[in-house]
Amino acid sequence: MRIGLDKARVYSNGIVIAWKGERIGQTRDVLTAAARKTRKFSVKRTRLQSACVAAWAGRQSQFMLFITFTFPFDPDENQARKIWDLFLKSLRKTYNVRHYVWVKERQKAGRLHYHLLIDRNRIDIKKLQTTYNGCINNICPGIPCSFNSVRLGSNPIVKTVGSVARYLSKYISKTDNVYEKRACGWSDLSLYQDLTTDELMEMIMLNGIQYKTIHVSETFSVYYLVSYPEIIYPPGKRYR
C-alpha cells in the first residue's frame, strides 16, 4: 500500500479507503463553508469509486450490469428524485438487487437521466421497463410513458473488478454538474472500523490477507482486501 497515507476506513465487504490527514472533503473549513450556503449536490468521487468496488465484491452474479434510465418528459429535480426513490425500492423488493450504484446526469438539452450498476449480469429489461413506467405514473399521473427509456448500452456487462469504477468514471469527472437533489447513491456500505494505516498493515500481516489496488492518487487510495470478509467475518458470527 502507498506510503504517506496515514488514515484508513475499512468496510465489512473488504473495501479500504486510505487518506492523509483530514478525511477527504471533511476539513473544518470545508464543513464551515458548506454550512453557510444552500445545500448543493455533486458526484462524490472517492465514495462513488469505493461504492462501485464494494458492489462488485458483494455481487450475486459473476458479472455486473450497466443500465441507463431516461424520462419520457422533462421532470424537475423533485419529480425525478421521487420517481427514482420509488424505483430503487422496487429494484430491491421485486428484483432482489442487493448492491447497486447510481449516478444522475443531465443530457445536452438539460433533461435528467440516471445510470445504474447492479449486482447481476442478467435481468428482464421489458419487466424492468414496466416497473419503471409504473413508478413514473405513480408520481406523475397521466404522463405518457415510453417503452424505450430503460436501455442497455453496446457493452453493458461489467466483467472485471478493475473496470467496474471506470463505467461511471465519465460521470465522476463532470464536476460542473451540481444539483438540488442527490447526484449519486449506492446500497449500504457497512462500516467496520477506522484505523491508522499502521494498524491496517498489522491486521493484513497477522491475518495473511491479500489485497488489490483499485485507485491510487496523491490524496487518497482505494483497495480491496480479497479474503477480508471470510477471515474477519467467518460464517455464523454476529457483527455490529
Side-chain angles (χ1 to χ4, degrees):
M1 292 189 175
R2 185 175 175 274
I3 304 300
L5 304 178
D6 55 358
K7 296 183 180 180
R9 170 154 288 188
V10 186
Y11 293 91
S12 59
N13 53 19
I15 297 301
V16 176
I17 305 175
W19 67 90
K20 184 176 182 179
E22 294 281 355
R23 185 178 174 192
I24 301 300
Q26 299 294 314
T27 63
R28 184 184 301 274
D29 290 343
V30 169
L31 292 176
T32 300
R36 290 176 177 171
K37 64 181 181 180
T38 303
R39 180 74 185 275
K40 297 291 184 179
F41 295 85
S42 59
V43 176
K44 301 181 184 298
R45 179 185 297 269
T46 311
R47 293 296 304 278
L48 188 64
Q49 288 174 327
S50 61
C52 286
V53 181
W56 173 272
R59 69 194 187 282
Q60 302 176 75
S61 302
Q62 184 179 3
F63 305 126
M64 296 187 72
L65 197 62
F66 183 75
I67 313 171
T68 295
F69 297 79
T70 59
F71 290 96
F73 71 113
D74 191 4
D76 59 36
E77 287 209 52
N78 193 51
Q79 290 172 319
R81 179 192 61 82
K82 289 180 179 179
I83 292 169
W84 190 245
D85 285 349
L86 185 60
F87 173 72
L88 290 178
K89 289 181 182 178
S90 296
L91 193 70
R92 295 188 294 265
K93 183 176 180 180
T94 305
Y95 299 88
N96 193 32
V97 172
R98 294 196 298 264
H99 300 286
Y100 56 83
V101 185
W102 61 265
V103 171
K104 181 165 66 177
E105 188 190 21
R106 290 192 184 278
Q107 297 171 325
K108 290 182 179 180
R111 183 174 294 190
L112 294 169
H113 61 281
Y114 290 86
H115 303 282
L116 177 72
L117 272 172
I118 62 173
D119 63 350
R120 58 183 64 224
N121 54 262
R122 289 180 180 274
I123 199 164
D124 189 329
I125 289 296
K126 290 184 178 180
K127 183 179 177 182
L128 200 66
Q129 175 73 73
T130 300
T131 299
Y132 183 61
N133 286 351
C135 294
I136 292 174
N137 283 327
N138 185 286
I139 302 301
C140 301
I143 292 292
C145 286
S146 167
F147 287 92
N148 191 36
S149 56
V150 178
R151 298 194 295 269
L152 298 175
S154 58
N155 189 27
I157 298 178
V158 185
K159 296 184 177 181
T160 67
V161 66
S163 65
V164 64
R166 291 200 295 270
Y167 268 73
L168 295 177
S169 62
K170 60 181 290 188
Y171 314 110
I172 296 173
S173 65
K174 292 187 176 182
T175 55
D176 58 324
N177 280 350
V178 178
Y179 304 93
E180 299 294 331
K181 303 297 181 181
R182 289 177 65 195
C184 58
W186 42 82
S187 47
D188 182 51
L189 289 173
S190 299
L191 173 65
Y192 177 61
Q193 57 186 334
D194 283 328
L195 302 168
T196 66
T197 48
D198 287 341
E199 291 171 335
L200 174 63
M201 291 306 299
E202 182 180 6
M203 181 185 72
I204 288 173
M205 296 295 291
L206 288 176
N207 292 282
I209 298 174
Q210 296 180 337
Y211 66 88
K212 293 181 179 180
T213 301
I214 304 302
H215 170 83
V216 175
S217 71
E218 289 298 319
T219 54
F220 74 93
S221 297
V222 180
Y223 303 94
Y224 172 48
L225 306 184
V226 178
S227 51
Y228 179 82
E230 291 79 13
I231 292 174
I232 306 301
Y233 286 171
K237 185 177 178 180
R238 298 178 64 86
Y239 308 100
R240 61 182 177 86

